[in-house]
Amino acid sequence: MATGSQSVKRWLPLEANPDVMNQFLWGLGLPEGQAECNDVYGLDEELLAMVPQPVLAVLFLYPLTTESEAERVKQDSVDKEYNKKVYFTKQTVGNACGTVGLLHAIGNVTSEIKLPDVSGAVILTKFFKPKTVYFSEVSSYVSLEKFIIGREDSFLDRFYKATADMNPTERALFLEKDTEMESAHSVAATAGDTVASDNVDTHFICFSCVDGELYELDGRRARPVSHGPSSPETLLQDAAKVIKGIIQKNPNSMNFNVIAISRNPGAAH
């Protein structure tokens, strides 16, 4: 989970776990009934058909290898314009790719989901079992029984409004200095089934459909990468094709994970 810059700040990585990601997003103000993360158990058509629809975004965790890094450098060498409606941020914090991926996912579907302007304070113990976690960056012990995220409105709503007119680099710096997000990320990173470690060699990216085009969103890249025509109805299948290609180029790696973010069919939007 490398970064696109030389920032010295590092977070613990998020686990590729839909339950953890759901709790994280709900704690940041995404209403539970609007959308949720789900495992994608395989890329064959019958397994893709099991994923709840409609799919709003796809997260892909893959290992950083010599092959994957060479492909990234090759693609970044081609300067292509992209649709400025795409919400895109660079990543300057080490191991923040899970959070950046989720920000990309929700940031490109704000017209499809309803982020509350006023949600009240959201207590994270509603989602995470009580335990004490040390946040090294903020140098304080915080009990999850008392840790509160959010003021009088949704964090996500505030974040997207504050960064709407920023360029990708400015958004990355805004996130880097956001202590509220840093603390929430730290809680989520320690809530998984595995012991959190900052020594990882995997990376999250996001696939979103914007104006009929499939975009790969990776905070380490110079810009969003277009993978051609797509639609909300075919987003999952289109992303799966790209993901299959990435996996085929890394035949010696096995550490891949795909998570779909689906909208609740009954949610108002």
Side-chain angles (χ1 to χ4, degrees), residues 51-192:
V51 178
Q53 295 287 337
V55 171
L56 300 174
V58 177
L59 296 178
F60 178 47
L61 179 74
Y62 69 96
L64 297 176
T65 65
T66 301
E67 293 82 3
S68 68
E69 289 302 277
E71 183 71 13
R72 178 176 67 87
V73 172
K74 177 182 177 181
Q75 291 186 350
D76 274 357
S77 66
V78 180
D79 187 4
K80 290 185 177 180
E81 288 294 318
Y82 65 91
N83 189 335
K84 298 307 179 185
K85 292 183 181 178
V86 177
Y87 185 89
F88 178 68
T89 179
K90 298 281 287 179
Q91 179 190 338
T92 58
V93 178
N95 294 333
C97 58
T99 290
V100 169
L102 291 171
L103 288 174
H104 280 146
I106 304 302
N108 283 294
V109 293
T110 52
S111 63
E112 294 293 318
I113 57 178
K114 182 175 177 58
L115 294 176
D117 292 324
V118 178
S119 64
V122 179
I123 304 175
L124 285 187
T125 42
K126 177 181 179 183
F127 308 121
F128 297 110
K129 59 185 179 181
K131 61 180 178 179
T132 299
V133 179
Y134 180 61
F135 302 133
S136 58
E137 293 293 337
V138 298
S139 301
S140 63
Y141 279 91
V142 181
S143 169
L144 295 196
E145 293 178 332
K146 298 180 180 178
F147 182 74
I148 296 178
I149 174 126
R151 295 186 292 246
E152 293 183 348
D153 51 359
S154 160
F155 172 87
L156 289 174
D157 182 66
R158 294 200 313 273
F159 184 89
Y160 291 128
K161 287 178 178 177
T163 60
D165 296 325
M166 296 181 182
N167 64 41
T169 299
E170 291 170 338
R171 289 169 179 162
L173 295 176
F174 185 90
L175 177 62
E176 184 176 333
K177 296 176 181 179
D178 194 317
T179 56
E180 186 176 358
M181 174 63 89
E182 181 177 351
S183 297
H185 175 103
S186 297
V187 173
T190 58

